[in-house]
Amino acid sequence: MFRDLIGVPNFDPAEARNKAEDPLFVRAAARAISVLTVFETARKPLTLEEIAALSALDRSAAQRMVHTLVSLGMIVRDREDRGYLPGKRVLTMAHSALRLDPVCQRATPVLLELRRRTRERVDMSFWDDTRLIYALRMPSKHEIFTATLTGNTVPVYCTAGGVAILAHLKDEEIAEIFARSDLTPFTAATVTTLAEVMEAVNAARSRGHAVMVGQLLRHEIALGAAVLDAARRPIGAVHVAGTLEEWTAEAFSSEFGGLLETAVKSIPG
């Protein structure tokens, strides 16, 4: 049983209950976020009943929250009236996050040059616990729809960017992240054991960048290198992706690995 590339959810409605003793915590805001995040792995417009179930709200609370968010343009009815979707105003929030982020500002010209020199897909993602969130995407000549979308999420443990990030962590932290990850594979080649992850991590530590083949898409080769902050802690990764129809993993790494490593050193976090 394989899963598809619709995203990796990471918001637990129970987090709000764990903040009950925090006098500054606004539970109504948490409920709004819980409603907005239910769309992360949706495959279709969601009904009010589905939103209530996925956000762990009772129907009455969900109805009030959906009504409020619809009134503010953050949620809309879909054009065929089958349910609710995120509204267009959500896109402007993503734009603000990217426009104001200093790492994105510094990374953009570096990624453009890397894309020019490799002529392959180049992305930058931010690390978010057990997942990566794609922030900057520069597609190549052959892409699937999800590989072009900013905001898409993928696991840390089985992706080149994720493994590059894990390579900068202690083994105990890697094991803890792996233990909390959804290990449902994307392809027959997706790594599913800690031993396989550690083999990839140790190879990345030795090589200077991660190389992963067929993990999310069976024909894809991906390289990853971590973007580090001033304390040498990973905050994200840059990825270069190609296809097995044109490259072997060894040739792809040899051709572009050095360029990738140089690029991430030019993006101080």
Side-chain angles (χ1 to χ4, degrees):
M1 181 70 178
F2 298 132
R3 57 172 159 160
D4 53 24
L5 288 167
I6 61 170
V8 180
N10 205 31
F11 181 80
D12 182 357
E15 290 181 43
R17 293 193 290 273
N18 297 333
K19 302 287 187 180
E21 302 303 319
D22 185 345
L24 298 180
F25 188 80
V26 181
R27 285 188 289 275
R31 288 194 292 271
I33 292 171
S34 71
V35 168
L36 289 169
T37 56
V38 300
F39 296 99
E40 287 188 2
T41 56
R43 290 177 169 82
K44 62 176 184 61
L46 298 178
T47 66
L48 179 60
E49 290 72 19
E50 289 170 329
I51 292 173
L54 292 168
S55 63
L57 298 176
D58 61 57
R59 192 183 188 284
S60 177
Q63 184 176 35
R64 294 194 302 272
M65 191 57 65
V66 168
H67 174 78
T68 301
L69 293 170
V70 168
S71 299
L72 296 173
M74 304 303 289
I75 290 178
V76 297
R77 295 288 300 186
D78 85 298
R79 290 184 175 88
E80 298 179 9
D81 201 32
R82 296 170 299 171
Y84 296 94
L85 294 170
K88 293 185 286 292
R89 288 188 176 183
V90 173
L91 292 175
T92 66
M93 297 174 66
H95 171 257
S96 297
L98 297 173
R99 177 176 57 85
L100 297 173
D101 187 278
V103 177
C104 288
Q105 293 170 7
R106 291 192 289 268
T108 295
V110 176
L111 267 61
L112 285 169
E113 177 63 14
L114 184 61
R115 172 70 179 83
R116 186 189 69 80
R117 297 183 67 177
T118 63
R119 303 184 69 182
E120 300 289 351
R121 191 182 85 228
V122 173
D123 304 309
M124 189 181 77
S125 60
F126 286 122
W127 178 29
D128 182 37
D129 192 26
T130 62
R131 66 182 185 172
L132 301 178
I133 304 174
Y134 284 107
L136 300 175
R137 314 212 71 169
M138 299 179 183
S140 66
K141 47 193 173 293
H142 34 66
E143 296 296 350
I144 63 170
F145 178 54
T146 54
T148 67
L149 299 178
T150 294
N152 190 33
T153 54
V154 295
V156 166
Y157 75 91
C158 65
T159 53
V163 168
I165 287 169
L166 295 178
H168 289 270
L169 307 181
K170 294 181 179 179
D171 291 358
E172 296 79 6
E173 188 173 0
I174 296 172
E176 193 271 335
I177 290 171
F178 179 82
R180 292 187 291 106
S181 298
D182 179 354
L183 304 180
T184 306
F186 294 88
T187 73
T190 305
V191 296
T192 56
T193 69
L194 182 58
E196 291 174 310
V197 173
M198 291 308 303
E199 181 180 0
V201 165
N202 288 326
R205 287 169 174 166
S206 174
R207 189 188 299 109
H209 62 270
V211 181
M212 302 295 280
V213 178
Q215 295 298 300
L216 302 181
L217 300 169
R218 60 183 179 82
H219 64 273
E220 185 177 75
I221 311 167
L223 311 182
V227 177
L228 307 178
D229 65 13
R232 307 295 294 172
R233 177 81 174 171
I235 59 173
V238 174
H239 322 240
V240 179
T243 174
L244 289 171
E245 296 171 356
E246 299 176 354
W247 298 91
T248 65
E250 294 76 13
F252 197 70
S253 173
S254 176
E255 185 75 13
F256 300 130
L259 292 174
L260 174 61
E261 292 173 37
T262 299
V264 295
K265 291 174 183 175
S266 304
I267 310 172

